[in-house]
Amino acid sequence: MTGNALIDLGELSKPATVLIEKISDAIGGIAKPWQIKRVASAQAEAEKITALAQIEVSEIQQRAITRMVREEGIKQQNIENITAGAIPHLAENADPSALEEDWLAHFFEKSRIVSNPDMQSLWSRILAGEANQSHSFSKRTIELVSTLSKDDAETFTALCSMVWHFGVIECVYKYNDDEFKRKFGSRLHFSNLRHLDSIGLVSFSSSAEGVFNFTNEATFITVYYYGIPIIIELHSSGSNKPLLHGHVSLTQAGKELAAISGAKPNYEYFEFILNGWLQTGHVISTPLAAKGQWIKLRAL
């Protein structure tokens, strides 16, 4: 992003206007809507330079001042880039006025040093997500995100293409299945999964038991893969009907970040998991109304 303007969208939507005002009130130093087209005149810049020249400082102090001005300028640009990037992700019914000032201060304390565009995009989506729904992202999750590298984020995004909703969000990753690892494990091999575990995004176990066992006492359950409903008739002779052993489970921070990870559904993976459930005796069906979603997924 270049120039002096935070963003130029003409008529900003109400949530966007409120978001900018809220951020400005919470941390200061960011353009409000009526300041968006501010332009510093050459005369004003000349006056600043003249004033600085009159201050008697040592050479090392001058270098320190130059460094601080440059660093703060970069941080300011990062803050404005992240804020501008959040605006397209705001929901029409978002209420940024509900954002807590402590949360915003903590958020920008951690994000203002981020200059990589891809990582700024992640921070923008977190900001928009919190504006759309309060308490979507804890301060602990913000702290974790501040430690992520671009490679960490890309690995986690790859994993999130394997996220399902069983009433809670869980990852279906069949670590002990050689065919599964051959097809889908190139980015998500042992060391990468262990690393995601060590930084607090997932819990991972390569044992046969895994880290969780999804069971249900009902005969029929409905699970979702990227919004596609799947009705499963569980096959089991016992009262507790097992569906799968999970080798990767999302932590609370992982669950919060999965929704804004930018991951895309994978039809080949989706089909592989369904076939695995069929082979273990479960019956799979989907509502006729979801046919269009299946067709779209297959076309990806």
Side-chain angles (χ1 to χ4, degrees), residues 62-80:
Q62 288 177 2
R63 291 201 300 272
I65 291 170
T66 300
R67 175 184 58 79
M68 286 191 297
V69 170
R70 181 177 181 277
E71 288 180 353
E72 290 306 311
I74 292 172
K75 290 176 182 177
Q76 182 66 23
Q77 187 69 69
N78 293 340
I79 288 171
E80 298 199 1

Side-chain angles (χ1 to χ4, degrees), residues 77-204:
Q77 187 69 69
N78 293 340
I79 288 171
E80 298 199 1
N81 286 350
I82 290 167
T83 302
I87 289 173
H89 300 286
L90 291 174
E92 290 184 3
N93 62 346
D95 182 17
S97 65
L99 285 166
E100 297 177 359
E101 291 193 2
D102 285 350
W103 187 94
L104 280 172
H106 184 70
F107 174 87
F108 281 111
E109 177 188 353
K110 300 301 179 181
S111 63
R112 64 184 177 179
I113 63 172
V114 178
S115 297
N116 178 273
D118 291 331
M119 294 304 290
Q120 284 186 351
S121 176
L122 173 60
W123 284 101
S124 293
R125 281 176 272 142
I126 292 172
L127 178 58
E130 185 69 15
N132 291 335
Q133 180 63 55
S134 296
H135 308 300
S136 293
F137 300 95
S138 67
K139 287 184 180 180
R140 183 172 295 181
T141 297
I142 298 302
E143 195 76 32
L144 188 154
V145 173
S146 72
T147 68
L148 294 183
S149 68
K150 185 172 180 288
D151 189 62
D152 293 337
E154 289 175 349
T155 302
F156 183 67
T157 295
L159 181 68
C160 285
S161 68
M162 302 178 184
V163 166
W164 295 66
H165 202 289
F166 294 84
V168 293
I169 297 174
E170 276 300 354
C171 180
V172 180
Y173 188 92
K174 304 178 72 171
Y175 182 80
N176 287 341
D177 187 310
D178 290 338
E179 185 182 0
F180 180 92
K181 286 194 289 186
R182 180 177 60 80
K183 285 178 174 289
F184 311 110
S186 59
R187 176 84 197 195
L188 298 165
H189 45 74
F190 180 85
S191 61
N192 278 345
L193 293 173
R194 289 297 300 163
H195 179 64
L196 292 180
D197 184 303
S198 70
I199 61 179
L201 286 172
V202 306
S203 295
F204 166 63

